[in-house]
Amino acid sequence: MSVESLRRAARESVSGLPRAFWWLWASTLVNRLGAFVATFMTLYLTMDRGYSASFAGLVIALHGLGGVVSSLVAGVMTDRLGRRPTLLAAQASTAFSVALLGFMEHPAAIAAVALLVGMTSNASRPAVSAMMADIVRPEDRVRAFALNYWAINLGFGISAAVAGLVAEYSYLAGFLGEAALTLVCAVLVYVKLPESRPVKDASGAADDGPAVGMGTVLRDGRFMGVVGLSFVISLIFTQGSVGLPVAMGAAGFSPGDYGLVIAANGLLIVVLQIPVTRFIEHRDPQKLLVVSALLAGYGFAMTAFAGPLWAYALTVCVWTLAEIVNSPTQMGLVVRLSPVHGRGRYQGMYTMSWAVASLVAPLMAGVVIDRLGAGWLWGATGVLGTVAALGYWLLMRSMPEGRERPVAEGAGVVAGAGQAGAVPGAGETPGAGETPGAGAVPGFGEVPSAGAVPGFGEVPGAGAVPGAAATGGRPEQRHVPAAEAV
């Protein structure tokens, strides 16, 4: 391919997206550059503070529990209060709680604040997902969410290396650094991002459509099927930061070896996410989800036969390709299945599937490896991948071609208080009669890092070793019956 062809491809990958998207993208990148707590929490507790691996695991579990709780609450806030105030509140409170965690001394205080950090840091994800669906044209959503997912992994990959150096100097400096960068994100949101929440009419007074509450979400069988499949896929991908370090440790590899292997995940995402997304952008999502589920399941299953270090790296390459394909495609499916006026609640439920998986996956890996051996864990991932592939095939075989529930006639976008003009690209926000396509969001951005895992001492999840990169997360929407608003 010529240099001019590469330049043209690069221009096409980033052109046509509204200015508001790029400010949101920038806030995502800055936020992930400061991802210190999720990366080094286990090392901080075990090596710097001298706590046991069991206590570290408890703290990480509480951090994940906070994410489960906040997902649904933040989803409701996103729909009721708006995207911008929810983002601002979530990021400002995250900055405060992360800084506070660095000064905690008593074990109970550390555990309590870790729960708070998990709640606040996860609260921004439904709002980010919903805002991206609001401001990006339907035909551009896959590309937009892939770019945002790329920013997540680029930022986390850089931060893992830099934060490792910072941790050698001072863990407190790492906590304060993350707090400062999160505050920068909050300022970006407040200054540059007007409110994008669709309203029933231009004045926001009419309410001629059915109310969307959490009951609506729970009764939406097809969407809840996607949530269940997302949970299964999350269990698979999270083994990269849970089961893989345990298995490599048991096989005699060092934490540094694991860091090199898992770094291939972030590197491949940074290098391949954009070109692969260009290739799959307009292809059949059913086939993409089925193939990605099989690649994920059997990519991890290949670990059972890995011997030398390069073989482990090869397995990472296989399931990373699955992740690159699955993330934007599945997020696009969520957008299609979510009603415009319930995007926050739907995103919150979808985000929760990943948060719950981050709690279950460490338990699953620990129990299976301790009682049956690592080979059984990798066999289980193959089974889960097959189940997920079958589920996607069944779920989508009778789905109508790319329609999401439209905004009511005359719908518009409400600008945030004090904001001049409309949201950049607001004219591209899906309105009545439009046929939005697929999109995806970071959400949960990266796969939550594992806590202290049995059999591998103090090695945390992906990215815990300096230089390791993170894997990504997701969310988006559809149509359902009325329910009482929550």
Side-chain angles (χ1 to χ4, degrees):
M1 182 180 289
S2 66
V3 174
E4 182 57 35
S5 297
L6 289 173
R7 288 177 178 174
R8 184 170 60 253
R11 284 195 301 269
E12 292 174 355
S13 295
V14 300
S15 63
L17 296 171
R19 190 189 321 168
F21 164 78
W22 290 110
W23 283 115
L24 195 59
W25 183 91
S27 72
T28 298
L29 179 62
V30 172
N31 187 56
R32 297 320 302 157
L33 286 171
F36 183 86
V37 172
T39 310
F40 288 94
M41 175 66 82
T42 304
L43 290 176
Y44 166 68
L45 293 174
T46 55
M47 297 184 67
D48 187 69
R49 303 303 299 273
Y51 291 113
S52 67
S54 297
F55 178 73
L58 172 64
V59 171
I60 296 299
L62 287 172
H63 182 276
L65 178 61
V68 173
V69 173
S70 68
S71 296
L72 299 181
V73 175
V76 174
M77 290 175 59
T78 297
D79 284 338
R80 283 195 168 187
L81 304 180
R83 286 65 159 134
R84 183 169 173 259
T86 302
L87 272 174
L88 182 63
Q91 291 174 339
S93 56
T94 297
F96 170 77
S97 59
V98 166
L100 182 64
L101 182 61
F103 292 99
M104 292 297 98
E105 298 286 342
H106 194 278
I110 292 174
V113 177
L115 175 67
L116 179 62
V117 171
M119 293 179 65
T120 57
S121 61
N122 200 63
S124 63
R125 289 167 181 168
V128 169
S129 303
M131 180 172 277
M132 283 201 174
D134 295 338
I135 65 180
V136 175
R137 293 181 304 177
E139 61 268 27
D140 291 332
R141 285 186 185 144
V142 169
R143 181 162 54 96
F145 289 127
L147 285 168
N148 201 73
Y149 185 48
W150 181 79
I152 288 172
N153 285 277
L154 176 63
F156 197 91
I158 295 173
S159 73
V162 174
L165 299 176
V166 173
E168 292 184 3
Y169 168 72
S170 169
Y171 278 92
L172 178 60
F175 285 109
L176 296 179
E178 177 170 348
L181 286 173
T182 306
L183 274 180
V184 170
C185 293
V187 171
L188 280 176
V189 167
Y190 182 77
V191 174
K192 295 295 184 179
L193 290 174
E195 180 56 66
S196 68
R197 175 168 58 106
V199 293
K200 292 295 182 181
D201 62 18
S203 67
D207 188 17
D208 52 1
V212 178
M214 289 309 302
T216 311
V217 182
L218 293 172
R219 289 195 295 270
D220 187 345
R222 194 187 296 272
F223 175 76
M224 291 306 295
V226 174
V227 171
L229 291 172
S230 172
F231 172 74
V232 174
I233 286 291
S234 303
L235 284 180
I236 298 173
F237 282 128
T238 307
Q239 296 308 322
S241 59
V242 178
L244 185 59
V246 176
M248 291 186 66
F253 291 101
S254 69
D257 293 330
Y258 168 71
L260 289 173
V261 166
I262 202 62
N265 171 254
L267 178 62
L268 284 175
I269 290 174
V270 170
V271 172
L272 296 180
Q273 182 71 69
I274 294 176
V276 170
T277 300
R278 283 175 54 81
F279 177 75
I280 68 172
E281 191 170 2
H282 302 296
R283 298 182 184 274
D284 183 359
Q286 181 192 47
K287 293 178 180 178
L288 293 175
L289 289 170
V290 168
V291 170
S292 65
L294 292 174
L295 281 176
Y298 291 102
F300 274 99
M302 288 169 57
T303 311
F305 306 100
L309 195 64
W310 65 264
Y312 282 95
L314 178 61
T315 66
V316 171
C317 292
V318 174
W319 57 258
T320 296
L321 181 59
E323 183 182 354
I324 290 171
V325 173
N326 181 272
S327 176
T329 308
Q330 181 167 259
M331 292 183 239
L333 177 60
V334 176
V335 171
R336 283 176 59 187
L337 295 177
S338 303
V340 172
H341 294 289
R343 280 178 173 155
R345 289 172 172 85
Y346 274 67
Q347 294 287 358
M349 181 63 71
Y350 177 64
T351 299
M352 191 184 72
S353 68
W354 283 80
V356 173
S358 73
L359 288 178
V360 175
L363 299 176
M364 169 184 166
V367 170
V368 173
I369 290 176
D370 284 347
R371 296 187 178 181
L372 302 173
W376 283 89
L377 176 65
W378 306 129
T381 61
V383 172
L384 290 174
T386 304
V387 169
L390 179 61
Y392 284 127
W393 181 76
L394 292 173
L395 186 76
M396 299 185 67
R397 64 177 180 170
S398 59
M399 183 180 294
E401 284 296 321
R403 269 200 79 85
E404 82 181 47
R405 184 177 179 179
V407 184
E409 190 69 36
V413 175
V414 128
Q419 296 296 329
V423 179
E428 303 161 352
T429 302
E434 286 191 24
T435 307
V441 87
F444 111 119
E446 55 296 317
V447 171
S449 58
V453 284
F456 205 73
E458 303 155 353
V459 178
V465 180
T471 50
R474 336 322 194 177
E476 294 315 77
Q477 289 75 2
R478 173 202 174 193
H479 178 43
V480 269
E484 65 285 351
V486 173

